[in-house]
């Protein structure tokens, strides 16, 4: 493909993406396919002869679109959102065009320095501890996912206990914490994971945490890691960060905060009381790819002190040695996570911050939270509906007072519209409707359409 061909096809593809975004609101969210349908339409063998770009574009429409789940629909209320925006797409395109490999400062100074700088900006924008900046003892790095960030934190925590068998180590999180905590601990070979009891609002009970830690210490085990969640996946419950931090300090646990979804809201001052005590954390993660208009993948991982992270992750083979690293003048992000190679993820985040400005991003988060509040008010005012958890951010969790069958009918009525989509969850035996408001295009009209479907089924 020559540069001129690339210009032509690239413009056609940008038009195709813009057309998609103009049509997505009216497109049924779930594809009508069975397992294997898409694959059965692909040739058995890879092409021997070159094909035209036009034929690839035709198959995008014909084959790919038949199997696309429309996460970017404004009626997408399932899971948590997976935000995309045009500035982020363009930033990602520029990153692809430059084809950078930012494993060392030396291999791409701009990839490294823009990433450090943008994550330092975010520390200020979210009023997080200034020690977390790369200009202080800590620093931020972009990872692929919150699961990677958490796994990395557990591995660093493990390395603090030299001479202790990982099989004797214990990690703690609440019973509502994301499965990535347990997975990360398993991958790191940690012997025990305790899922600590929660209170009526599904937040970790600090007394139960401390009792579990004491019992494990008495049993000769080695408590070494605790994760506090800000915005649990089920109901966006918030663990008591300051109390957990105090326990972590008393028992020498690495304190990690998982704010994968709700961390985005910290760009607005009014949500920051939820992370009171965050200065006690050793590490913290949140995902701009969930709710800050930045395409997947983009997960921020901050540490309060970068030394243990680098000491744990750094292995320098001779071919990676260079003068800047040897002088200790630079950040080499390969030492901040498991992968060596890394792409220029910060470019899309930089474009997003500059395009919207902090003001635009605050307005964006607030618009979704206001929609969630207005839906909550309608539910609270309805005699046959109950919220099952407080609406703290953009997630509304509710059920029919008549029980699970009636709640299931609401889910089916919403999904039968085909342009609104929810995935229910359970608390104990109780089924509830989980409405995550936060897609890029979602506005009042889409929440009204969802409400009409709810009303038709109660
Ligand atoms: N933590 C929480 C609280 C989440 O809600 C999620 C995903 O929804 C994750 C972690 C995992 O995020 P990722 O897909 O980036 O690993």
């Amino acid at each position: 493909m020559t540069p001129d061909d690339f210009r032509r096809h690239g413009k056609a593809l940008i038009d195709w993406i813009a057309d998609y975004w103009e049509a997505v609101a009216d497109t049924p969210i779930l594809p009508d396919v069975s397992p294997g349908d898409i694959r059965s339409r692909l040739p058995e063998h890879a092409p021997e002869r070159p094909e035209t770009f036009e034929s690839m574009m035709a198959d995008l429409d014909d084959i790919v679109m038949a199997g696309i789940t429309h996460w970017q629909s404004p009626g997408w209320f399932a899971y948590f959102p997976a935000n995309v925006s045009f500035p982020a797409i363009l930033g990602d395109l520029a990153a692809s065009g430059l084809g950078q490999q930012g494993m060392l400062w030396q291999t791409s100074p701009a990839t490294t320095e823009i990433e450090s700088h943008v994550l330092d900006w975010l520390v200020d924008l979210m009023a997080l501890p200034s020690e977390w900046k790369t200009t202080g003892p800590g620093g931020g790095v972009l990872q692929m996912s919150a699961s990677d960030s958490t796994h990395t934190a557990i591995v660093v925590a493990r390395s603090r206990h030299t001479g202790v068998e990982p099989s004797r180590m214990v990690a703690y999180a609440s019973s509502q914490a994301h499965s990535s905590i347990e997975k990360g601990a398993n991958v790191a070979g940690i012997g025990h994971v305790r899922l600590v009891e929660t209170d009526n609002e599904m937040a970790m009970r600090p007394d139960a945490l401390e009792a579990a830690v004491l019992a494990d210490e008495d049993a000769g085990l080695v408590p070494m890691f605790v994760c506090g969640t800000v915005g649990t996946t089920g109901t966006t419950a918030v663990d008591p960060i300051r109390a957990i931090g105090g326990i972590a300090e008393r028992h020498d646990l690495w304190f990690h905060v998982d704010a994968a979804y709700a961390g985005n809201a910290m760009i607005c001052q009014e949500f920051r009381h939820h992370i009171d005590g965050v200065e006690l954390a050793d590490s913290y993660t949140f995902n701009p790819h969930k709710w800050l208009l930045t395409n997947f993948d983009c997960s921020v991982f901050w540490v309060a002190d970068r030394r243990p992270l680098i000491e744990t992750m750094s292995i320098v083979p001779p071919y990676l040695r260079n003068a800047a690293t040897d002088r200790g003048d630079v950040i080499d992000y390969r030492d901040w996570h498991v992968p060596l190679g890394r792409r220029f993820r910060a470019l899309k985040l930089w474009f997003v911050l500059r395009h919207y400005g902090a003001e635009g991003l605050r307005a964006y988060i607030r618009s979704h939270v206001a929609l969630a509040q207005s839906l909550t008010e309608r539910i609270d005012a309805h005699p046959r509906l109950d919220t099952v958890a407080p609406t703290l951010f953009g997630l509304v969790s509710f059920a029919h007072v008549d029980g699970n069958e009636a709640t299931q009918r609401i889910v089916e009525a919403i999904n039968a519209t085909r342009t609104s989509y929810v995935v229910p969850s359970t608390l104990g035996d109780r089924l509830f409707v989980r409405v995550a408001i936060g897609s890029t295009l979602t506005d009042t009209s889409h929440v009204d359409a969802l409400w009409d479907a709810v009303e038709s089924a109660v």
Side-chain angles (χ1 to χ4, degrees):
M1 200 181 277
T2 64
D4 273 342
D5 291 338
F6 176 70
R7 277 191 188 93
R8 193 161 46 86
H9 298 319
K11 284 170 189 161
L13 186 61
I14 294 282
D15 281 343
W16 185 88
I17 295 170
D19 291 347
Y20 173 71
W21 275 73
E22 282 175 345
V24 71
D26 301 319
T27 308
I29 291 174
L30 295 188
D32 187 12
V33 285
S34 303
D37 280 358
I38 302 299
R39 192 165 177 178
S40 71
R41 300 189 55 195
L42 302 176
E44 195 178 341
H45 299 291
E48 189 65 35
R49 312 263 320 143
E51 296 185 38
T52 62
F53 193 75
E54 285 76 6
S55 73
M56 295 173 218
M57 288 289 284
D59 284 349
L60 259 186
D61 281 326
D62 192 31
I63 300 177
V64 176
M65 292 313 285
I68 288 294
T69 302
H70 296 282
W71 280 75
Q72 301 312 322
S73 168
W76 180 271
F77 300 109
Y79 310 110
F80 281 135
N83 274 189
V84 170
S85 68
F86 291 136
I89 295 172
L90 293 174
D92 228 5
L93 186 60
S96 291
L98 291 170
Q100 292 297 281
Q101 235 288 16
M103 55 197 178
L104 304 172
W105 176 86
Q106 172 90 8
T107 62
S108 183
T111 300
T112 300
E113 293 190 17
I114 290 176
E115 184 161 329
S116 300
H117 201 73
V118 164
L119 298 185
D120 283 1
W121 273 358
L122 276 178
V123 167
D124 287 338
L125 280 179
M126 298 184 157
L128 293 165
S130 57
E131 294 74 30
W132 295 8
K133 291 198 214 175
T134 50
T135 49
V141 59
L142 290 175
Q143 305 239 22
M144 184 174 70
S145 69
S147 304
D148 284 325
S149 302
T150 298
H151 176 223
T152 305
I154 294 171
V155 170
V156 182
R158 186 185 66 185
S159 73
R160 292 166 76 228
H161 299 269
T162 39
V164 178
E165 271 300 308
S167 60
R168 287 179 51 225
M169 296 184 184
V170 196
Y172 306 81
S174 94
S175 60
Q176 296 293 313
H178 190 262
S179 55
S180 53
I181 319 301
E182 208 168 344
K183 187 172 182 175
N186 289 342
V187 173
I190 304 303
H192 310 267
V193 178
R194 308 270 184 247
L195 298 180
V196 177
E197 234 176 280
T198 53
D199 63 17
N200 291 340
E201 298 204 337
M202 270 70 75
M204 188 196 279
R205 280 184 37 200
D207 58 328
L209 171 65
E210 191 146 33
V213 171
L214 287 168
D216 285 329
E217 285 172 348
D218 284 350
L221 298 173
V222 182
M224 44 70 82
F225 174 91
V226 60
C227 175
T229 306
V230 177
T232 59
T233 315
T235 60
T236 66
V238 175
D239 289 341
I241 296 304
R242 183 170 294 287
I244 297 172
I247 295 167
E249 235 169 29
R250 283 199 289 284
H251 297 273
D252 193 26
L253 310 177
W254 182 278
F255 180 25
H256 177 64
V257 174
D258 175 6
Y261 158 75
N264 292 287
M266 302 312 149
I267 199 152
C268 304
Q269 183 272 331
E270 65 270 29
F271 299 103
R272 293 182 194 150
H273 63 98
H274 290 300
I275 55 167
D276 174 54
V278 78
E279 69 280 3
L280 302 173
D282 294 298
S283 56
Y284 180 102
T285 186
F286 91 100
N287 288 351
H289 69 229
K290 279 188 164 51
W291 197 22
L292 210 63
L293 291 161
T294 309
N295 296 26
F296 191 83
D297 50 6
C298 187
S299 179
V300 178
F301 179 58
W302 276 299
V303 285
D305 180 356
R306 60 180 173 269
R307 283 171 310 178
L309 171 65
I310 294 171
E311 278 160 20
T312 307
M313 295 288 168
S314 185
I315 296 172
V316 189
Y319 52 85
L320 293 179
R321 292 207 85 99
N322 64 86
T325 299
D326 287 346
R327 281 197 308 271
D329 286 350
V330 294
I331 283 179
D332 290 327
Y333 273 127
R334 67 176 203 102
D335 294 336
W336 291 55
H337 48 39
V338 174
L340 169 64
R342 60 196 324 274
R343 59 201 198 83
F344 200 166
R345 285 198 187 94
L347 207 46
K348 60 191 170 190
L349 187 56
W350 192 44
F351 276 26
V352 165
L353 290 171
R354 298 180 64 185
H355 176 82
Y356 294 96
E359 206 176 80
L361 295 173
R362 285 187 207 108
Y364 176 72
I365 295 283
R366 285 179 180 142
S367 73
H368 290 148
V369 176
L371 290 174
Q373 292 296 349
S374 86
L375 179 61
T376 304
E377 281 161 24
R378 285 182 251 188
I379 291 162
D380 285 342
H382 198 290
R384 291 193 296 286
L385 297 174
D386 263 351
T387 48
V388 303
T391 299
L392 303 179
F393 305 100
L395 180 75
V396 184
S397 308
F398 69 98
H400 197 294
V401 292
D402 289 349
N404 289 354
E405 274 181 30
T407 302
Q408 182 60 31
R409 279 198 296 278
I410 297 175
V411 172
E412 283 162 14
I414 295 170
N415 293 346
T417 64
R418 306 194 66 198
T419 47
S420 293
Y421 181 55
V422 290
V423 172
S425 188
T426 52
L427 269 178
D429 292 336
R430 190 173 191 197
L431 186 75
F432 68 95
V433 189
R434 206 177 154 285
V435 180
I437 299 172
S439 283
T440 306
L441 297 177
T442 304
D443 65 26
T444 314
S445 65
H446 310 107
V447 177
D448 287 347
L450 173 120
W451 179 246
D452 289 345
V454 172
E455 281 199 306
S456 75
V458 291

